[in-house]
Amino acid sequence: MSFFQALEKSSAVELYTYITLLLVCVLLYIFSDYLKVCALAFRLPGPTAYPVIGNCLDIAKKDLISREMSEAYRNYGPLARVWIFVFPMFVVFDPNDLKVILSSKKHTNKSMFYKLLHNFLGRGLITSSGHKWSSHRKLIQPSFNIAILEKFIDTFADSASSLIDKLPKEETVLNVTEYVNNCVIDILNEAVLGAPVKSDKKEMEQSPFRQGKVVAPYRITHPWLLFNSIYKLTDAATAELNQKKQLDDFTRKMIRRRKETLKTLTPSDRRCLLDFMIEISNENPDFTEDDIIDEACTFMLAGQDSVGAAVAFTLFLLARHQDHQQKCYEEIQRHIGAGSSKQPTAESIRELRHLEACIKESLRLYPSVPLMARKIGEAVRVGKYNLPAGTEIMILPYATHRLEHIYPEPEKFDPERFGDGAPHQNPYAFIPFSAGPRNCIGYKFAYIEMKTVIARVLQNFHLSPAPGKEEVQPIFRMTLRARGGLWVKLTPRKTVA
């Protein structure tokens, strides 16, 4: 080899080395935030993670709720880490730390994992972020004014009366979950879509909103399906997209129907949320019919399991705690009256303060949404750690609601925690509907709905524990459920001694 050939080969090696180093530097720069987050994750405690899949399989654990979540703060402290595939997430437990995140408009973006719900819920208030979320929230918020919401009490009462009619007229033991869920769907059909509870129900019984199935947990436990390019090749993706099309087509049909109804609607007629959103669309062209569909699907689907679970858990807990059930019944007698003929009013529902405390304590123990997530918009400090912008945060109301220094004897059902004389509580210690600017827009609607339905049940039935089914086994399916259902013994009031 000549001198010049050697020199040429040496120059080529140096060039390749330079290019390789340059590429490495570029990649390190691109992934620097990810590497920083990973470095922090390795320093923090958390549940045992496995190579590549991380903690993905934990979501299928039978004791995920009852053991892992309830003992998480005790095991890991105020900040923990979990791995979803190769992506680290940080679990924040302490209310003071949660306040920093949830109270700021800089941290309102939802986690990337909410994209897994787009084919189910659409891109409504729950799953959207950025300008779309903020503009939709601003447009829809006036429709959830308390004066408007209280006009739905007749709808709630009609559906509750339909529930009472379906319940056995003799003492019986039953799973209240299915009955309550059907009641809540009836409410949503009228309150959101404008299909009256008392109308012919054949069409609504075949509604695709009764057949919704969330596949997000399945995708997380099969982490290769987190990549849409792979997921879209599966039968599950085809079925989910077909389900979404059915939901969209059905909602579009209901929108057309309400547009015709609005032409002849009188001030005394009942209105639904579709009416308000159609009016919003007429005044704001950027709020399209597709946006109405996304928001309507969000209200219909998110409102079913969350409220249904809360009502069922409250009835179950009142059956186990006769003293609080009696207080609620006496309160109902005072403000509404006893017997099926006494219908609630907005004023009487507002006065049911102990019942509301019981509902809140049920939501503390069994929050309908036990897990939420956010994406940090800018660097924040949590305890002694700095979380960089873009960090994925996980929030576990089920765990935060069991912090012993805030809720002594956290497993005890004690509605007095939320009674009129209860000490001032950190608002970020009780987050069944989240908190801050991204709290649930319909939480007031939900409280009025729950109080009305439970009041009507207690007017007509005495509840007691179902023998052999006094314990509850909570499980996670995006919302909180009870394994095997929630069983109570119902005794019609007229036969109570």
Side-chain angles (χ1 to χ4, degrees):
M1 180 183 296
S2 69
F3 172 77
F4 292 104
Q5 287 177 321
L7 182 62
E8 184 179 329
K9 184 176 181 180
S10 175
S11 298
V13 170
E14 288 179 0
L15 178 61
Y16 292 142
T17 301
Y18 174 78
I19 292 174
T20 300
L21 288 173
L22 182 62
L23 286 174
V24 169
C25 290
V26 170
L27 290 173
L28 286 173
Y29 176 77
I30 293 173
F31 292 102
S32 61
D33 288 342
Y34 172 74
L35 294 174
K36 288 178 185 176
V37 172
C38 288
L40 176 58
F42 284 120
R43 293 163 53 198
L44 288 171
T48 302
Y50 298 95
V52 183
I53 62 172
N55 299 107
C56 287
L57 298 182
D58 288 355
I59 200 171
K61 285 185 176 180
K62 292 182 179 179
D63 60 356
L64 173 67
I65 296 289
S66 59
R67 187 173 67 84
E68 294 288 345
M69 284 193 184
S70 63
E71 299 178 6
Y73 181 84
R74 190 181 307 116
N75 292 335
Y76 310 124
L79 184 66
R81 62 95 189 109
V82 296
W83 291 88
I84 305 298
F85 195 33
V86 295
F87 304 106
M89 298 188 74
F90 299 93
V91 189
V92 181
F93 298 101
D94 190 87
N96 292 319
D97 294 330
L98 289 173
K99 180 180 179 179
V100 174
I101 297 165
L102 294 177
S103 66
S104 173
K105 291 184 179 180
K106 296 176 181 178
H107 309 306
T108 56
N109 284 347
K110 286 297 183 77
S111 165
M112 62 181 177
F113 293 102
Y114 281 80
K115 293 179 181 179
L116 302 181
L117 298 173
H118 281 171
N119 289 340
F120 179 65
L121 288 178
R123 288 167 171 78
L125 289 177
I126 288 181
T127 59
S128 61
S129 293
H131 175 72
K132 181 173 183 176
W133 168 78
S134 61
S135 62
H136 284 201
R137 176 84 182 211
K138 184 176 180 181
L139 290 170
I140 298 173
Q141 186 72 60
S143 302
F144 285 83
N145 178 281
I146 190 65
I148 292 175
L149 297 181
E150 287 182 338
K151 293 180 181 179
F152 286 104
I153 286 180
D154 288 341
T155 296
F156 302 155
D158 285 347
S159 187
S161 295
S162 179
L163 166 65
I164 301 303
D165 291 340
K166 293 173 185 175
L167 291 171
K169 300 302 180 286
E170 297 179 355
E171 183 175 278
T172 187
V173 172
L174 52 75
N175 178 1
V176 297
T177 307
E178 183 177 350
Y179 288 91
V180 167
N181 287 346
N182 286 332
C183 173
V184 172
I185 291 174
D186 284 345
I187 288 172
L188 292 172
N189 284 339
E190 179 168 323
V192 178
L193 301 179
V197 173
K198 296 181 179 179
S199 66
D200 180 10
K201 294 185 179 181
K202 184 176 181 181
E203 178 184 35
M204 300 313 292
E205 286 175 353
Q206 298 172 350
S207 162
F209 287 109
R210 290 181 177 269
Q211 303 155 23
K213 182 180 179 182
V214 185
V215 298
Y218 174 76
R219 293 181 67 178
I220 293 173
T221 55
H222 299 74
W224 55 91
L225 297 181
L226 294 174
F227 298 98
N228 282 329
S229 57
I230 298 175
Y231 175 63
K232 68 181 182 181
L233 301 176
T234 66
D235 291 339
T238 301
E240 188 181 37
L241 288 172
N242 182 57
Q243 173 182 270
K244 183 68 175 78
K245 184 178 184 304
Q246 292 180 42
L247 293 171
D248 289 355
D249 290 345
F250 186 83
T251 307
R252 204 178 300 276
K253 179 176 70 174
M254 301 305 291
I255 290 172
R256 289 197 298 268
R257 188 174 297 177
R258 290 309 298 180
K259 284 182 176 179
E260 289 301 312
T261 301
L262 281 171
K263 295 176 182 178
T264 57
L265 202 67
T266 67
S268 61
D269 291 331
R270 294 185 187 181
R271 304 192 68 189
C272 66
L273 291 178
L274 272 188
D275 298 342
F276 295 111
M277 288 193 286
I278 289 169
E279 291 174 353
I280 291 171
S281 181
N282 290 338
E283 297 171 3
N284 300 270
D286 290 340
F287 192 78
T288 66
E289 185 172 280
D290 286 340
D291 292 327
I292 298 176
I293 291 170
D294 281 337
E295 300 300 351
C297 287
T298 294
F299 293 133
M300 287 295 297
L301 295 168
Q304 281 184 37
D305 288 346
S306 58
V307 174
V311 171
F313 274 112
T314 303
L315 293 174
F316 175 82
L317 289 167
L318 288 175
R320 290 181 56 186
H321 299 86
Q322 294 292 308
D323 53 342
H324 290 292
Q325 181 183 168
Q326 184 60 27
K327 282 186 178 181
C328 289
Y329 182 60
E330 291 171 358
E331 186 178 60
I332 292 165
Q333 284 184 307
R334 279 197 310 275
H335 299 292
I336 302 176
S340 58
S341 62
K342 304 294 184 179
Q343 294 290 334
T345 63
E347 183 179 359
S348 63
I349 290 297
R350 284 196 297 270
E351 294 299 321
L352 303 182
R353 293 188 176 89
H354 190 72
L355 175 56
E356 182 171 327
C358 290
I359 292 171
K360 287 181 176 179
E361 178 67 348
S362 298
L363 285 168
R364 183 191 69 81
L365 285 167
Y366 303 109
S368 300
V369 182
L371 183 155
M372 297 177 281
R374 291 285 187 276
K375 188 174 184 178
I376 297 299
E378 67 176 19
V380 297
R381 188 167 184 83
V382 175
K384 61 181 180 179
Y385 299 100
N386 289 315
L387 303 182
T391 300
E392 299 278 346
I393 295 296
M394 189 178 290
I395 301 162
L396 305 180
Y398 193 93
T400 296
H401 291 178
R402 283 169 166 74
L403 297 180
E404 292 188 42
H405 60 280
I406 296 174
Y407 299 108
E409 297 183 84
E411 296 297 336
K412 178 183 178 181
F413 179 74
D414 182 11
E416 301 303 335
R417 304 181 205 267
F418 299 95
D420 291 337
H424 177 72
Q425 183 187 79
N426 187 327
Y428 295 88
F430 180 67
I431 48 174
F433 296 102
S434 189
R438 277 214 81 146
N439 70 336
C440 174
I441 194 172
Y443 80 95
K444 292 180 182 178
F445 179 101
Y447 275 127
I448 299 171
E449 177 184 4
M450 291 186 285
K451 289 169 75 174
T452 304
V453 173
I454 296 171
R456 292 290 288 140
V457 171
L458 293 182
Q459 273 183 307
N460 289 270
F461 293 94
H462 175 263
L463 314 177
S464 38
K469 297 181 183 290
E470 295 93 341
E471 300 302 318
V472 60
Q473 296 180 334
I475 56 175
F476 175 68
R477 293 291 184 272
M478 296 309 291
T479 54
L480 198 69
R481 311 282 183 88
R483 188 182 303 280
L486 293 163
W487 294 75
V488 301
K489 182 166 75 172
L490 290 177
T491 305
R493 287 284 177 184
K494 62 183 180 181
T495 63
V496 176

